[in-house]
Amino acid sequence: DAEITQSPRHKITETGRQVTLACHQTWNHNNMFWYRQDLGHGLRLIHYSYGVQDTNKGEVSDGYSVSRSNTEDLPLTLESAASSQTSVYFCASSEASGRARGNEQFFGPGTRLTVL
Amino acid sequence: GNSVTQMEGPVTLSEEAFLTINCTYTATGYPSLFWYVQYPGEGLQLLLKATKADDKGSNKGFEATYRKETTSFHLEKGSVQVSDSAVYFCALGPDTGRRALTFGSGTRLQVQP
């Protein structure tokens, strides 16, 4: 079965360190997204990609970067981790088109990141 | 820009009670509407969706109707179970030029036996 996986599931790091969160999907979806989930804010969009070599900033992109070298993977990098980036991070993917189906997004299980 | 407003939680109900979780939205164009559910320790799962006005999405006893005139997509269930305890997110989109979803803040539901 197709799926979307994230690793690690839990990560503790220190302020100032570089951290990379992995996201891998086997749906063959062109669209991939990174969200962060914080209490009272729901999910907020960090970065997204519509295909290989395409990346775009979301609403809360400061301090984060992504790269898309193939269809399956969209790693999220925190260049210099800050305590404000302690959160749960979700990766998602969807088909490039298909408005009639509502463009459903499929989510990974999440990564809980703690920055000390 | 697009936005979604959900009722504040937590919502605590007894088993077999009727559930309503309110969701209203602001959007340009004609976006799709979704309800996602997040069980403890898990990612988000699509619960139901509606792609145009007056559509009713339904799944696992939950229902929601896309009401363009009131810009609402309220989630309802006639008889909740303990296993329905989770966080529920209303989401908007995608729409022209934007393929990402816009989420509400989530509503935690706790069902007591």
Side-chain angles (χ1 to χ4, degrees):
Chain A
D1 287 348
E3 62 178 353
I4 179 166
T5 58
Q6 295 183 235
S7 62
R9 293 295 310 279
H10 303 272
K11 175 78 176 176
I12 299 175
T13 190
E14 296 177 343
T15 301
R17 290 191 179 269
Q18 184 181 78
V19 177
T20 296
L21 310 182
C23 173
H24 179 81
Q25 54 98 3
T26 59
W27 292 97
N28 200 34
H29 286 162
N30 283 324
N31 301 333
M32 295 186 73
F33 310 88
W34 274 104
Y35 298 89
R36 59 177 289 175
Q37 182 182 23
D38 303 290
L39 196 62
H41 291 280
L43 276 75
R44 293 181 290 176
L45 184 64
I46 305 172
H47 280 285
Y48 57 100
S49 168
Y50 293 161
V52 176
Q53 303 301 330
D54 175 74
T55 61
N56 306 278
K57 294 181 179 180
E59 292 96 2
V60 291
S61 61
D62 286 350
Y64 303 94
S65 63
V66 293
S67 60
R68 188 87 180 270
S69 59
N70 58 52
T71 300
E72 295 80 16
D73 299 289
L74 186 71
L76 177 71
T77 297
L78 287 69
E79 303 294 344
S80 177
S83 58
S84 60
Q85 295 176 308
T86 293
S87 186
V88 180
Y89 292 85
F90 287 100
C91 181
S93 70
S94 69
E95 293 183 14
S97 61
R99 192 184 185 284
R101 291 181 234 146
N103 293 100
E104 174 185 352
Q105 288 191 11
F106 296 84
F107 283 80
T111 294
R112 183 175 296 275
L113 176 68
T114 302
V115 182
L116 301 176
Chain B
N2 293 352
S3 66
V4 177
T5 302
Q6 281 182 245
M7 61 186 292
E8 292 284 331
V11 174
T12 303
L13 296 173
S14 298
E15 209 165 21
E16 300 184 3
F18 185 86
L19 169 71
T20 300
I21 299 178
N22 290 339
C23 171
T24 57
Y25 66 90
T26 302
T28 56
Y30 302 95
S32 300
L33 296 170
F34 303 84
W35 278 100
Y36 278 83
V37 59
Q38 183 181 30
Y39 299 103
E42 298 184 10
L44 277 71
Q45 305 173 24
L46 179 67
L47 180 60
L48 54 83
K49 65 186 179 189
T51 59
K52 62 183 186 296
D54 299 325
D55 267 2
K56 177 185 284 189
S58 62
N59 186 26
K60 300 181 181 179
F62 291 89
E63 294 183 340
T65 302
Y66 189 157
R67 301 284 188 199
K68 191 165 175 60
E69 64 276 14
T70 56
T71 61
S72 65
F73 192 54
H74 304 320
L75 182 68
E76 297 182 337
K77 186 174 185 182
S79 176
V80 294
Q81 306 300 313
V82 172
S83 57
D84 294 327
S85 298
V87 180
Y88 293 82
F89 292 93
C90 185
L92 176 71
D95 197 358
T96 304
R98 175 181 169 93
R99 300 179 203 175
L101 299 178
T102 300
F103 285 88
S105 57
T107 302
R108 180 176 298 280
L109 170 65
Q110 190 161 356
V111 180
Q112 297 177 336

